[in-house]
Amino acid sequence: MKLPATDLHPLVQEYLHELHVLRQLSPHTLKAYGMDLGDLQNFALEDSIDLLKVSNGHVRRWAGRLHSKGKSSRSIARALSAWRGWYHWLTEKDARRDARAGKVTGNLVANPVDDVKAPKRLKSLPKALSVEQALSLVSQAVKEAEEKKDLESIRDAAIIDLLYSSGLRLSELLGIDVMQSKDRQQESAGWLDWDAAEVTVLGKGGKRRSVPVGAPAMQSLNIWREIRNSSSYAQQSNALFLSATGKRLSPRTVQARLRTLAMRAGLPTHVHPHMMRHSFASHVLQSSQDLRAVQEMLGHASISSTQIYTSLDFQHLAQAYDKAHPRAKAGKA
């Protein structure tokens, strides 16, 4: 039996009203809270339990029902948070009333949702290209640049080469200037050291880091710099990567150009700039096994953020094992 929103318990409706008036939650958030608290009320109704006499055991059982209905860990955590918030509000409301009355009249002694946790979320692994796919994509970009010899194709080749060579975030890539600005009021977010083959970028948390740029990528970048500097737009902006109108390139342009280039390269997946970063990290880790170096190049504040790539590395090894080991094949026969 599914309750319509108008049949929500009066105390639930009062709670939602307070969230709207006092905390000024958005209509979207209030709707989500209402749905989650409606589920709570439905479970109590199905089990003939008074909402104000729900126990910790009831809550655990109902969280299990959400899981059996196919709810994600995120959805269950959100529901438990909504339930916990309502019961917390209810116990405080009872405590205030009891204080005024000078005696215990409250229905709840403790919050029944306390200590109830949602199932652990499975961390989704970042999608990375295989080494062959990444090289095929870069080769396609360089090939088109050599054949078309137009500004956009040469620029795109330099962008893709740099993304894969140095593992930059898209925002970091687009913040790079041709050369470091000495003007404090217009300080460069990032720049290339053309002689040292090194790129300096401004990452998350306002932290700068410098990352090496491989020789093939430097070659693509030098070709692009010549074309860029000879264009009529070169004096309009210090940005390394310019649009056809001479402005700093937008994220959407890079995303769209990379997506269509990947299709022309015959890659069987949607490729986006962050996938190039994941591919860089995974491939460097596969070759070097140096997690700390990969952490520094990616600009991760914590090594735990980088450790996810060890899972990608293991997946690669497991796939190689399944394909090559005779006993692996025998076991699947």
Side-chain angles (χ1 to χ4, degrees):
M1 178 180 180
K2 190 71 175 176
L3 290 168
T6 52
D7 287 343
L8 287 174
H9 193 288
L11 288 171
V12 171
Q13 294 188 33
E14 184 181 344
Y15 174 62
L16 293 174
H17 179 71
E18 282 199 18
L19 291 180
H20 171 63
V21 175
L22 300 181
R23 290 177 55 185
Q24 297 186 331
L25 297 185
S26 70
H28 176 77
T29 302
L30 288 170
K31 182 180 178 181
Y33 269 65
M35 290 174 63
D36 290 331
L37 290 169
D39 284 339
L40 172 70
Q41 192 169 331
N42 278 316
F43 286 139
L45 187 64
E46 289 168 6
D47 290 358
S48 301
I49 302 295
D50 186 333
L51 260 184
L52 304 182
K53 296 180 181 179
V54 168
S55 69
N56 187 269
H58 293 129
V59 173
R60 291 180 187 277
R61 185 163 70 244
W62 297 339
R65 284 188 199 170
L66 289 175
H67 186 266
S68 66
K69 289 181 177 181
K71 295 285 187 180
S72 67
S73 297
R74 185 186 295 272
S75 296
I76 297 172
R78 189 195 70 187
L80 288 172
S81 177
W83 299 356
R84 188 178 295 109
W86 181 64
Y87 279 116
H88 177 73
W89 171 83
L90 201 58
T91 53
E92 286 196 334
K93 182 181 177 70
D94 280 350
R96 289 193 297 269
R97 185 181 59 200
D98 291 347
R100 288 194 298 269
K103 58 182 179 178
V104 177
T105 61
N107 294 289
L108 290 169
V109 177
N111 190 327
V113 193
D114 282 348
D115 301 324
V116 182
K117 296 180 180 178
K120 281 190 176 180
R121 293 181 200 168
L122 293 174
K123 269 193 174 181
S124 57
L125 293 176
K127 292 183 179 179
L129 299 172
S130 67
V131 173
E132 294 75 16
Q133 288 174 330
L135 293 177
S136 174
L137 179 61
V138 174
S139 297
Q140 179 71 24
V142 172
K143 177 185 173 185
E144 291 189 11
E146 292 173 346
E147 291 176 351
K148 296 180 180 179
K149 293 182 171 53
D150 63 300
L151 184 143
E152 290 184 335
S153 298
I154 294 171
R155 178 201 65 203
D156 292 350
I159 286 174
I160 292 167
D161 235 339
L162 181 56
L163 282 173
Y164 183 50
S165 174
S166 303
L168 305 183
R169 299 180 178 92
L170 180 56
S171 59
E172 295 169 348
L173 175 103
L174 296 179
I176 299 172
D177 287 340
V178 179
M179 59 184 67
Q180 183 180 8
S181 172
K182 302 300 181 182
D183 186 345
R184 288 189 176 181
Q185 292 183 337
Q186 295 181 333
E187 186 180 6
S188 298
W191 59 88
L192 263 163
D193 186 327
W194 298 90
D195 295 325
E198 191 175 78
V199 62
T200 298
V201 294
L202 186 66
K204 287 185 176 180
K207 295 181 179 178
R208 289 198 188 279
R209 73 180 188 283
S210 295
V211 187
V213 182
M218 283 303 302
Q219 183 176 351
S220 293
L221 286 163
N222 276 305
I223 294 172
W224 161 245
R225 180 172 60 162
E226 289 183 18
I227 299 296
R228 177 203 176 282
N229 291 347
S230 63
S231 72
S232 58
Y233 301 122
Q235 304 305 316
Q236 294 184 24
S237 172
N238 194 31
L240 175 60
F241 297 114
L242 299 174
S243 68
T245 58
K247 297 179 181 178
R248 191 179 293 271
L249 206 58
S250 72
R252 285 193 176 184
T253 299
V254 177
Q255 291 163 348
R257 299 284 295 184
L258 180 56
R259 182 173 62 250
T260 56
L261 183 69
M263 292 172 64
R264 293 197 297 273
L267 298 190
T269 184
H270 166 59
V271 179
H272 51 83
H274 217 65
M275 185 181 284
M276 301 302 293
R277 177 173 163 86
H278 294 322
S279 304
F280 158 84
S282 178
H283 300 166
V284 171
L285 188 59
Q286 286 173 23
S287 300
S288 70
Q289 299 298 312
D290 192 336
L291 193 63
R292 186 66 66 182
V294 173
Q295 176 195 0
E296 291 180 8
M297 286 188 280
L298 290 176
H300 285 160
S302 169
I303 193 74
S304 61
S305 299
T306 316
Q307 283 173 332
I308 194 167
Y309 294 105
T310 61
S311 299
L312 288 174
D313 189 30
F314 179 79
Q315 280 188 337
H316 169 78
L317 294 174
Q319 290 168 0
Y321 179 89
D322 286 343
K323 288 180 182 178
H325 198 289
R327 291 293 293 171
K329 293 177 181 177
K332 292 187 176 182

